Amino acid sequence: MNTREEPSYETLSVEKHADRVVVTLRRPAARNAVNGRMVAELHRVCEELERAPKLLLLTGHGGVFAGGADIGELRRRGRDEALEGINSRLFERVRRLPLPTVAAVPGWALGGGAELTYACDLRIAGPDAVFGNPEPGLGILAAAGACWRLRELVGESVAKQVLLAGRTLDARAALACGLVMDVVPTDRLLVEAHALLNRMARSSALALRLTKLVTDASGAHPVADDLAQAVLFESPDKEERMTRFLEKKGGRA
C-alpha cells in the first residue's frame, strides 16, 4: 500500500494512501484535546476528501483518542463563538464525507473527542477505550452532536446515562450497546481498522457513496432508493462486478 505523509500539519499526522487517508490526532501535551488549530486542520482534510473522495481512518496518538475539547479555549468562548458552532460544524462535515469513516479508539474519547467518534460511520475500540461526555460538570452541554447522535447510536436510555448521569462507557459497555463494532487488542487496533477499510475498499466506491447517502437520509426514502439504484444499474462497475461473480459461480446466480 503506497503511503505519503503530509508534513504541513501541527496537530495531526496525515498519511495519504491510494484509497484512504489516515489521520492521527496528535497533541500529546494535551491528551490530543480538540482545539481551534485542530479544527482548522481537520477542515483541510475534509476539503480534500470532498474534492477527491477516499475512506477515512481517524485515531489518536499515545494511547488516547482525544481527552475532550481544549478547556482553556472553551473558557474564553462566549455566546457568539457558541453560535458559530466551531466544533459542531466540523463534526457534521465529517459526518457528511462522501465515503465511509472509521474511528479507531485506543483509549479515552471524552467530550469533543467522543463527539468526533460519534460523527464517524463506524467505531472500533481497543480494550482501554472509554467514551464519555462530562460537559455538564463544566457548566456546558455536549453541543457538538452528542445530544442527538448518541441517542441515535445507543438509544435514549444509555444516551441519558452518559449525558445526564455522567456515565462513561468502557470498551465492553460500548460493544454491548452497539456504539463500537468490535474490541480488539491494543497492538492490533490499527491492523484491524485497516482490515475493515480493506473490506470496504473492495466494494464499489460509488455503491458505498450512494448507500451512505441514502442511509443517512432521514425517514423512509423509497424514491431515493430507486434513484440511487438506477444510477448504479447503469454503471460499468456494476456490470463488471456481476459478470465476475457469475463467471466465478459458473454462470449460476
Side-chain angles (χ1 to χ4, degrees):
M1 185 184 298
N2 293 328
T3 306
R4 179 166 60 89
E5 180 102 22
E6 176 58 58
S8 59
Y9 291 90
E10 293 181 14
T11 67
L12 310 173
S13 294
V14 179
E15 300 173 13
K16 297 181 179 179
H17 303 258
D19 60 358
R20 70 198 63 176
V21 173
V22 180
V23 174
T24 303
L25 310 183
R26 189 180 287 269
R27 294 188 67 220
R31 295 199 305 171
N32 305 331
V34 180
N35 66 351
R37 170 66 68 178
M38 185 180 287
V39 167
E41 292 183 351
L42 285 169
H43 272 298
R44 284 174 53 195
V45 173
C46 288
E47 182 180 3
E48 292 187 21
L49 291 173
E50 290 161 352
R51 185 171 60 250
K54 293 182 180 181
L55 301 167
L56 173 64
L57 173 59
L58 278 171
T59 191
H61 171 73
V64 176
F65 185 82
D70 189 293
I71 303 302
E73 286 191 359
L74 286 180
R75 187 175 62 176
R76 293 191 296 272
R77 291 179 186 173
R79 175 191 59 195
D80 291 343
E81 287 80 12
L83 292 174
E84 289 176 19
I86 294 169
N87 287 3
S88 64
R89 281 163 176 73
L90 168 66
F91 298 168
E92 181 63 16
R93 192 173 188 181
V94 170
R95 177 66 172 168
R96 293 181 177 275
L97 286 172
L99 289 177
T101 57
V102 174
V105 183
W108 292 97
L110 300 177
E115 290 180 298
L116 179 55
T117 74
Y118 304 158
C120 292
D121 295 305
L122 299 167
R123 286 150 296 280
I124 185 170
D128 297 325
V130 179
F131 300 84
N133 290 97
E135 285 89 343
L138 295 169
I140 59 175
L141 61 84
C147 287
W148 50 278
R149 279 202 184 98
L150 189 57
R151 182 177 60 188
E152 293 176 353
L153 291 169
V154 302
E156 181 177 348
S157 177
V158 175
K160 285 185 175 180
Q161 291 170 39
V162 173
L163 296 167
L164 302 180
R167 179 187 177 188
T168 57
L169 300 175
D170 62 16
R172 182 177 177 182
L175 181 63
C177 70
L179 180 60
V180 303
M181 67 175 293
D182 203 0
V183 177
V184 301
T186 301
D187 60 356
R188 296 283 303 171
L189 181 59
L190 290 182
V191 172
E192 296 298 332
H194 278 290
L196 171 60
L197 290 168
N198 290 341
R199 291 202 300 274
M200 291 190 285
R202 288 194 289 269
S203 294
S204 159
L206 181 59
L208 284 176
R209 184 171 183 174
L210 290 176
T211 299
K212 176 175 175 173
L213 192 64
V214 173
T215 302
D216 284 345
S218 60
H221 34 64
V223 173
D225 289 354
D226 292 345
L227 290 173
Q229 192 74 298
V231 172
L232 293 170
F233 271 14
E234 295 296 322
S235 69
D237 193 35
K238 169 254 189 182
E239 179 73 20
E240 293 171 7
R241 286 171 178 272
M242 290 192 174
T243 298
R244 287 199 303 270
F245 177 86
L246 291 172
E247 289 174 349
K248 185 176 180 180
K249 294 292 185 178
R252 300 187 305 275

